[in-house]
Amino acid sequence: MNQSQRVAGIIDALKAAYPDPMCALTYQKDYQLLIAVRLSAQCTDERVNKVTPGLFQRYPTLDELASADVLEVEELIHSCGFYHHKARDIVLACQMLISTYDRKVPDTMEELLKIPGVGRKTANLLLGDIYHKPAIVCDTHCICITNKLGLAAGKDPAKVEQQLWKVLPPEESSDFCHRIVLHGRAVCTARAPQCSLCTLAPFCKSYTGQ
């Protein structure tokens, strides 16, 4: 089995197991996804989804978040951890969306990376979910599982992302990453991977040794 066949098999297996790849973070407006992703750093999506309803109820518009008291935002997001930096970034990001980007989340990597608190992982998620552009979100699930599958090597997110760009069909990239996250939570967990039940086992170099 060559690399192209391996990738095609992995994508087909993931599609069969997870037909509806969705971002686990809940949001209604594009800028709310930006904020939710910022909150998710070093925090579970489940926790973020418990915090954002209160945050967006208190500040229901972009303008209100942009003029929010950072200390009050800190109180609302405290349980997400690293709340000092996250609260500052949220307010500054909202201000920048208004002042620089016509109140819209930018649609290019270059512009997204100018926003406070936005790195490549966040930018890729926004590009894929909001604009349906090719995107590779290198979170811990993606890095761990693609290493096991032999699609990438190493733990550096930027390097893994570049390796995956070389092997993944661009049109499949965003959904692939969402499916990998779902698979990492359901089957290929870090502490107790269920290899005997894994739909990706035939393609997994870590499992087959090939």
Side-chain angles (χ1 to χ4, degrees), residues 127-145:
L127 290 173
D129 279 43
I130 295 175
Y131 294 107
H132 308 293
K133 292 186 175 185
I136 294 176
V137 181
C138 274
D139 70 348
T140 54
H141 292 295
C142 180
I143 292 170
C144 178
I145 296 175

Side-chain angles (χ1 to χ4, degrees), residues 26-46:
T26 57
Y27 66 99
Q28 294 180 328
K29 302 173 184 177
D30 292 350
Y31 75 84
Q32 292 179 346
L33 178 59
L34 187 158
I35 292 168
V37 179
R38 180 66 186 98
L39 290 174
S40 71
Q42 303 297 313
C43 181
T44 66
D45 290 348
E46 181 181 8

Side-chain angles (χ1 to χ4, degrees), residues 66-135:
S67 60
D69 184 322
V70 172
L71 292 178
E72 186 172 346
V73 175
E74 287 181 1
E75 293 179 6
L76 291 167
I77 68 169
H78 186 277
S79 64
C80 289
F82 300 96
Y83 56 93
H84 294 303
H85 294 297
K86 291 180 180 180
R88 179 201 62 195
D89 287 345
I90 287 169
V91 173
L92 290 175
C94 290
Q95 291 173 354
M96 193 169 186
L97 291 182
I98 294 171
S99 65
T100 307
Y101 297 112
D102 194 26
R103 316 176 77 82
K104 299 176 182 177
V105 175
D107 63 353
T108 67
M109 176 66 71
E110 180 182 8
E111 295 304 317
L112 283 167
L113 292 178
K114 296 177 182 179
I115 298 175
V118 174
R120 288 195 64 86
K121 184 178 79 170
T122 297
N124 271 307
L125 191 146
L126 294 170
L127 290 173
D129 279 43
I130 295 175
Y131 294 107
H132 308 293
K133 292 186 175 185

Side-chain angles (χ1 to χ4, degrees), residues 37-66:
V37 179
R38 180 66 186 98
L39 290 174
S40 71
Q42 303 297 313
C43 181
T44 66
D45 290 348
E46 181 181 8
R47 167 54 55 186
V48 173
N49 288 338
K50 291 180 179 178
V51 167
T52 49
L55 177 65
F56 298 144
Q57 182 178 24
R58 173 64 183 85
Y59 303 105
T61 68
L62 181 63
D63 292 272
E64 287 173 287
L65 268 169

